[in-house]
Amino acid sequence: MTRQITALISGASIAGPALAYWLDRYGWACTVIERAPEFRDGGQNIDVRGAGREVLRRAGLEEAVRAATTGEVGTRFLGKGGAVVAEFPVRESESEGATAELEILRGDLARLLVDAGNERIEYIYGDQITGIDDSSDGVEVTFEHAAPRRFDLVIAADGMRSSTRDLVFGSEASVRPLGMQTTYLTIPRTETDTSWWNWYSEPGGLTVTLRPDRHGTTRAVLSSVVYGEQVDVDARAARTSAADHKARLRRQFAHVGWEAPRILAALDDSPDLYFESIGQVTAPRWSLGRVVLAGDAAWCASPVSGMGTSLSLVGAYVLAGELAAHVHHADAFAGYERIMRPFVNQAQNLPPGVPKIANPRTRAGLAALHVALRAASTPSSANSPAASSGRRPTRSTCPTTATSGSEWRRQPCQLVPNPSGGGRGSPRTGLPCTPPYN
């Protein structure tokens, strides 16, 4: 009887459960370890576009995700007093627009992925990896609480500041700050909240947004651009306590209008207050021996890229497929990196000036932004049936790069042209590999 291959996955957000799901389908024994004491239901809105959506289709989860969407009908940019400057309803596209057709809370998507996995997948909460001893025939792993265990492979999928990555790769990977600090929280919903993603800015690079969810609450975000030297921004943020973060927010947003006072008043009562300094991860290599990086631990493109979730889903699909298609893990890791590198590079290539260009420092800059938004918005959008009724526009049938056929089973993933005519799969339009591995 063939021995079952074992994998330890660090991180139970999106990339980790997605990878466990696919590896389990290939007959692997998967253990997912998460430092949080229990499954995390919280989190903000995330979108699934293009290639990520195709992965959900192949997993049979697209309709489940659609049923769990937030109901967001589009994005509205607001001016003084909350007046609408411009609005962008959900477009009949899998890749365009600030609001995607599949908008879902991070916790809701993670729950779907965990529940979709076979009960054979082992989830361990409230623990983390403290040591990794990689040898030619396996990996000895020590934990903060549990007894040591041995696995065939270890996958670090524990986020932008992955502690597992640091154990193996040291300081090889770099986190490049993008000059923005963001705070996420959930607040009680009021009758003035709508089904739109409402975006309000004031000079000084300060932004307040409110987004709907399907749980009877509202998701709030406070963002501030960091000006001047970026040295040690992340290090300082990591050492700052929650009380210090709240004090800083109250100082920064004390004179900001619209819904800022309401959000500040809710800081102490929010069940899921979360702060991060936005950045991107660059790693010269994604694997070393029997350890490999996945998701944000390998390539965080940052929330402002709009591609974090899709990259995690696609990366998990490709990594699992390559491991199933190759006898030796080193060949699988090489194929995974060859396929995903161009995909990641494209997603990390942000437009010039992002994120500062969308969060102006001066009144003149904010006025110019509003002029540009008015020009770019659809003139008739305010009178569209979707806008007036609060429902989503009907989706159209979009072309796909997917193909099928048993002759492709167990074959290494191949890059294909994307529907827009590019030479490689696009993060927003085409899956970088086809046909399905499984």
Side-chain angles (χ1 to χ4, degrees):
M1 182 175 180
T2 303
R3 183 181 69 85
Q4 194 173 27
I5 305 173
T6 59
L8 173 64
I9 302 169
S10 177
S13 183
I14 301 299
L19 182 58
Y21 168 84
W22 287 109
L23 286 176
D24 177 76
R25 283 180 56 161
Y26 293 125
W28 287 47
C30 295
T31 297
V32 182
I33 189 164
E34 166 60 47
R35 66 185 302 174
E38 58 188 6
F39 177 84
R40 294 179 297 151
D41 281 303
Q44 290 287 314
N45 300 51
I46 56 178
D47 51 40
V48 184
R49 303 174 184 266
R53 186 162 164 182
E54 177 58 31
V55 169
L56 289 178
R57 287 194 188 110
R58 295 182 183 187
L61 294 175
E62 183 184 14
E63 292 310 312
V65 170
R66 186 182 303 283
T69 54
T70 63
E72 189 171 289
V73 299
T75 307
R76 275 179 173 162
F77 291 88
L78 309 179
K80 187 175 181 179
V84 177
V85 171
E87 62 184 30
F88 300 85
V90 174
R91 298 185 64 173
E92 296 181 355
S93 166
E94 294 192 5
S95 60
E96 297 182 5
T99 294
E101 186 182 353
L102 294 186
E103 291 279 348
I104 185 171
L105 297 179
R106 184 213 60 81
D108 289 347
L109 178 57
R111 173 62 71 186
L112 288 174
L113 291 168
V114 170
D115 290 347
N118 193 289
E119 61 183 11
R120 292 186 299 266
I121 300 174
E122 178 186 18
Y123 279 87
I124 301 173
Y125 293 96
D127 207 348
Q128 61 181 325
I129 298 172
T130 57
I132 293 177
D133 184 8
D134 190 350
S135 63
S136 60
D137 60 349
V139 187
E140 291 286 344
V141 183
T142 57
F143 304 93
E144 185 175 16
H145 302 298
R149 292 174 62 177
R150 186 175 182 83
F151 299 89
D152 290 301
L153 298 178
V154 173
I155 299 100
D158 47 345
M160 181 171 70
R161 294 178 176 82
S162 166
S163 59
T164 308
R165 179 187 65 211
D166 292 345
L167 287 173
V168 178
F169 296 85
S171 59
E172 278 190 16
S174 62
V175 179
R176 180 175 70 91
L178 295 181
M180 173 174 281
Q181 297 177 345
T182 302
T183 301
Y184 310 89
L185 65 156
T186 302
I187 63 176
R189 185 174 177 84
T190 68
E191 61 182 14
T192 61
D193 292 335
T194 71
S195 295
W196 290 83
W197 177 9
N198 287 309
W199 179 304
Y200 174 82
S201 297
E202 286 201 7
L206 301 175
T207 299
V208 179
T209 73
L210 294 179
R211 305 185 76 168
D213 66 23
R214 68 188 188 100
H215 300 292
T217 52
T218 294
R219 307 290 159 147
V221 175
L222 298 175
S223 296
S224 59
V225 171
V226 179
Y227 297 104
E229 293 295 324
Q230 297 298 309
V231 179
D232 246 4
V233 168
D234 290 318
R236 290 200 307 272
R239 294 193 299 265
T240 304
S241 67
D244 289 338
H245 284 314
K246 293 176 184 178
R248 177 184 61 80
L249 291 171
R250 291 186 172 108
R251 290 193 304 270
Q252 284 185 311
F253 289 84
H255 303 294
V256 175
W258 190 51
E259 297 284 0
R262 170 188 168 196
I263 298 172
L264 292 176
L267 288 178
D268 290 332
D269 298 323
S270 176
D272 57 356
L273 185 71
Y274 176 73
F275 168 87
E276 71 172 333
S277 179
I278 303 298
Q280 290 187 332
V281 170
T282 302
R285 54 179 173 173
W286 294 344
S287 64
L288 180 60
R290 291 177 171 270
V291 180
V292 64
L293 306 177
D296 283 353
W299 57 63
C300 179
S302 84
V304 297
S305 73
M307 291 305 301
T309 303
S310 291
L311 284 174
S312 291
L313 292 171
V314 174
Y317 173 79
V318 172
L319 177 55
E322 289 296 300
L323 286 168
H326 292 88
V327 174
H328 199 284
H329 64 272
D331 296 326
F333 292 165
Y336 161 63
E337 190 159 345
R338 173 182 58 81
I339 292 162
M340 288 300 297
R341 277 284 183 186
F343 199 53
V344 168
N345 291 343
Q346 187 175 354
Q348 287 190 330
N349 186 21
L350 302 177
V354 171
K356 292 183 180 180
I357 193 171
N359 302 272
R361 187 174 192 175
T362 66
R363 293 191 181 279
L366 184 58
L369 174 65
H370 286 172
V371 169
L373 289 170
R374 288 191 188 97
S377 62
T378 304
S380 60
S381 63
N383 298 319
S384 68
S388 60
S389 66
R391 62 178 171 83
R392 287 178 172 272
T394 302
R395 77 178 182 97
S396 62
T397 302
C398 300
T400 176
T401 60
T403 61
S404 60
S406 59
E407 68 274 18
W408 290 105
R409 191 176 303 273
R410 302 281 296 175
Q411 294 300 311
C413 183
Q414 302 295 320
L415 289 169
V416 296
N418 69 63
S420 62
R424 293 180 182 268
S426 162
R428 293 188 178 275
T429 56
L431 192 65
C433 53
T434 193
Y437 289 104
N438 54 316

